[in-house]
Amino acid sequence: MKSKSLLPVEFMRRNFILPSGDRKFYITLKTPFYVLEDLRFSLGDFETEFVDEEVFNEKMEEFLSSIDSRIEEEEGIETPFSEDLLSGSDAPIIQLLNSIFIKAIRVNASDIHFEPYEREIVVKFRLDGILHEITKIPSGTYQKVVSRIKVISRLNVAEKRLPQDGRIGVRIGNKQVDMRVSTLPTVFGERVVVRLLDKSHKVLTLEELGFSGRDYEIFKSIITKPHGLILVTGPTGSGKSTTLYAALRKIWVPGINILTVEDPVEYQIEGINQVQVNPKIGLTFAAGLRSILRQDPDVVMIGEIRDLETAEIAVRASMTGHLVLSTLHTNDAPSSIARITDMGIEPFLIASSLECVLAQRLVRRICSKCAYKYKPSEQEREIICRYLDDAVPEYLVKGKGCESCLGTGYSGRIGIYQLMRVDEEMRGVISKTSDTEVIRNVAIEKGMKTLFQDGLEKAILGITTLEEVLQVSRE
């Protein structure tokens, strides 16, 4: 493998020495003196820079993530998997895979895709919801990479005809990362997707999600009610679970009992008991929900309402003294009423139990390191005037694209929201009809913003771009 140093990775890690430039090395107090003398005898004189162990680990992480992943066709000797990616083997395949993992973790990718084609394998990272091609692997090497992934995720290496699912727990310095692996047989080999869940990543607070002032105050007041049903809607990957976790963190105090049933449990929250769904042994959402209702809960969170049985239990629980939070897959807040009605729940039960519906999407934030102001075009001015009564701002903001954001102009994401509060007037409407247009019109008259309007306000504030809002939510 081509790399920045002639020194083996394991030698550098074990002896706390790392190249920092031409004839320069980072060292620590743990670097053996005899190693420096041996290197001076072999390489001639060089400079050294003392750093503490934490800084050294960061530099080692940077070094490993920059290793050239275009390796040659060569046999790699498999060694037992080490949980710490910084203490990896010198075997080429292991170094290649570790460097990909480290790069993904460093740039906060949510997924790694290994896509096999006829002549090469393309490696992509999903950053802020968008796939970016990162590197390519020769097709002759790819099978060894897949075998390595299967070994460390405890999958059947010999099985290449059926899809498989597994998990990897890794550490990079002080960061713990849970990787979920999925393989899928294709014409040119097995396609592999690795989902990254950073266990050390803190769960966002309600204040950090991106609510407007009005929506924040309304939602906060609703989640502190003693009972009722709260629904968060949106497509897969729109941040629904993050919102529910933030709500639970906001309302948790030592005096209340909060239980969740999820598939999967993405992040563990201190003080809250979380149940992992396992359909193989009969632990479905409905079965788990029935069981936790016998555990004397004050607040119940259901990962998703998928069927009539779960919906019925959730509605009844919300009407018998429990605060129930859950998610649905609908396009906006008003259409959630029709969705629950279609499942078989009576409209008067929905009207009696439902407190609010929060629809959401995620938009990319403008990269703060390359952001710049520009004058909006005529088309942009027309869009802003059409949907907002406020005057068109003199300047909007976008990102030029830099090394920090991989040239995208964006870094991180923030939510845009549509909050439909169910008050007495709205309960009367819902009990009479599930027509989405009727419910939407009443909600707008009562002050509900659309997803697009909320996104537009964030674009005017310089948080995201108008282009991004148009892509994610167009009225």
Side-chain angles (χ1 to χ4, degrees):
M1 176 182 289
K2 300 173 185 177
S3 78
K4 291 182 178 180
S5 172
L6 296 175
L7 301 179
V9 172
E10 180 59 25
F11 173 87
M12 293 188 291
R13 184 199 62 80
R14 187 172 60 248
N15 293 295
F16 292 89
I17 185 166
L18 185 68
S20 64
D22 187 26
R23 309 196 69 75
K24 294 180 181 178
F25 288 89
Y26 292 116
I27 62 173
T28 75
L29 292 173
K30 291 186 177 181
T31 307
F33 179 75
Y34 69 86
V35 170
L36 296 176
E37 291 301 303
D38 287 346
L39 284 177
R40 283 197 170 92
F41 179 79
S42 303
L43 304 176
D45 200 22
F46 53 80
E47 296 179 28
T48 59
E49 179 181 346
F50 273 102
V51 294
D52 61 35
E53 193 170 338
E54 184 177 349
V55 173
F56 180 86
N57 282 335
E58 291 176 1
K59 298 296 183 183
M60 175 65 81
E61 179 184 329
E62 292 174 7
F63 175 81
L64 290 177
S65 68
S66 66
I67 289 177
D68 188 355
S69 58
R70 296 167 297 174
I71 70 171
E72 299 173 2
E73 309 273 349
E74 59 178 309
E75 292 296 327
I77 302 172
E78 285 288 350
T79 60
F81 174 64
S82 170
E83 287 190 349
D84 191 345
L85 296 184
L86 296 182
S87 60
S89 163
D90 288 322
I93 298 299
I94 298 175
Q95 278 202 6
L96 166 62
L97 196 56
N98 283 5
S99 70
I100 291 173
F101 285 165
I102 291 170
K103 283 178 186 176
I105 293 168
R106 282 181 57 80
V107 298
N108 293 317
S110 62
D111 301 85
I112 307 170
H113 289 232
F114 296 85
E115 301 180 359
Y117 298 103
E118 186 174 6
R119 292 184 176 83
E120 60 191 6
I121 283 70
V122 178
V123 180
K124 297 178 180 178
F125 291 171
R126 187 175 292 280
L127 302 171
D128 300 327
I130 307 296
L131 280 174
H132 299 271
E133 183 177 318
I134 300 300
T135 189
K136 294 178 180 179
I137 301 173
S139 56
T141 302
Y142 182 56
Q143 187 51 53
K144 300 171 191 174
V145 172
V146 175
S147 296
R148 174 64 181 166
I149 294 173
K150 287 182 176 181
V151 167
I152 60 181
S153 55
R154 295 177 176 82
L155 299 180
N156 184 350
V157 178
E159 181 57 75
K160 302 176 183 178
R161 300 167 298 172
L162 295 174
Q164 298 187 70
D165 296 301
R167 300 179 71 166
I168 309 170
V170 301
R171 186 175 73 255
I172 174 168
N174 295 323
K175 187 177 288 189
Q176 298 280 346
V177 179
D178 186 27
M179 298 185 176
R180 295 191 182 133
V181 179
S182 173
T183 68
L184 180 71
T186 69
V187 175
F188 297 112
E190 291 178 276
R191 192 182 195 277
V192 180
V193 174
V194 181
R195 166 64 57 88
L196 307 177
L197 293 173
D198 186 351
K199 291 184 177 180
S200 61
H201 183 70
K202 71 181 183 73
V203 177
L204 295 178
T205 64
L206 207 60
E207 292 77 10
E208 295 171 322
L209 294 181
F211 282 108
S212 65
R214 176 184 175 275
D215 287 350
Y216 171 77
E217 292 300 330
I218 294 174
F219 191 64
K220 186 177 70 170
S221 68
I222 291 173
I223 63 175
T224 54
K225 289 190 173 186
H227 57 80
L229 177 62
I230 297 169
L231 295 176
V232 180
T233 78
T236 301
S238 59
K240 300 187 296 296
S241 296
T242 299
T243 300
L244 290 180
Y245 284 144
L248 294 181
R249 282 191 63 192
K250 187 70 176 178
I251 62 179
W252 181 83
V253 291
I256 68 171
N257 181 22
I258 301 178
L259 293 169
T260 77
V261 53
E262 307 171 56
D263 183 24
V265 175
E266 295 187 13
Y267 296 103
Q268 296 171 358
I269 307 175
E270 187 177 354
I272 296 175
N273 291 291
Q274 298 166 271
V275 177
Q276 169 75 54
V277 166
N278 189 348
K280 292 180 180 178
I281 60 173
L283 183 54
T284 60
F285 275 116
L289 186 52
R290 277 195 300 268
S291 297
I292 64 176
L293 286 175
R294 293 192 286 269
Q295 293 283 316
D296 187 31
D298 298 296
V299 180
V300 175
M301 191 268 270
I302 311 164
E304 183 184 348
I305 294 178
R306 296 178 179 173
D307 51 45
L308 175 59
E309 187 178 11
T310 307
E312 285 179 334
I313 299 170
V315 168
R316 289 201 175 95
S318 67
M319 297 175 70
T320 55
H322 303 90
L323 183 66
V324 180
L325 298 89
S326 189
T327 70
L328 274 179
H329 287 281
T330 60
N331 289 329
D332 61 2
S335 60
S336 61
I337 307 302
R339 177 80 177 92
I340 305 174
T341 304
D342 289 344
M343 286 183 181
I345 302 296
E346 294 293 337
F348 75 90
L349 289 175
I350 302 171
S352 301
S353 59
L354 192 61
E355 292 294 332
C356 77
V357 182
L358 178 71
Q360 66 178 74
R361 298 289 190 278
L362 293 177
V363 293
R364 291 180 291 174
R365 284 178 179 268
I366 297 168
C367 176
S368 61
K369 295 183 179 177
C370 61
Y372 72 98
K373 293 181 179 180
Y374 71 99
K375 289 194 173 184
S377 64
E378 282 302 317
Q379 185 179 11
E380 288 174 324
R381 294 173 64 87
E382 182 184 335
I383 291 171
I384 294 171
C385 288
R386 190 187 311 157
Y387 290 99
L388 294 178
D389 296 331
D390 300 337
V392 177
E394 186 177 357
Y395 295 100
L396 292 177
V397 181
K398 65 169 61 173
K400 290 181 180 178
C402 62
E403 186 178 348
S404 178
C405 62
L406 297 181
T408 63
Y410 299 96
S411 179
R413 289 190 288 181
I414 192 171
I416 58 174
Y417 301 96
Q418 178 187 47
L419 180 61
M420 185 178 80
R421 186 173 193 172
V422 181
D423 57 12
E424 290 308 311
E425 183 183 345
M426 185 63 77
R427 293 187 201 282
V429 174
I430 292 172
S431 62
K432 293 175 184 176
T433 181
S434 60
D435 186 280
T436 299
E437 282 304 313
V438 172
I439 294 171
R440 180 182 290 112
N441 290 336
V442 173
I444 289 174
E445 285 176 9
K446 298 180 73 62
M448 181 189 75
K449 290 185 296 187
T450 65
L451 285 164
F452 185 74
Q453 285 173 327
D454 192 51
L456 207 54
E457 289 177 3
K458 288 182 170 67
I460 290 172
L461 291 171
I463 297 170
T464 187
T465 63
L466 188 55
E467 179 185 14
E468 181 72 2
V469 175
L470 288 169
Q471 271 193 331
V472 172
S473 172
R474 184 64 190 261
E475 296 296 311

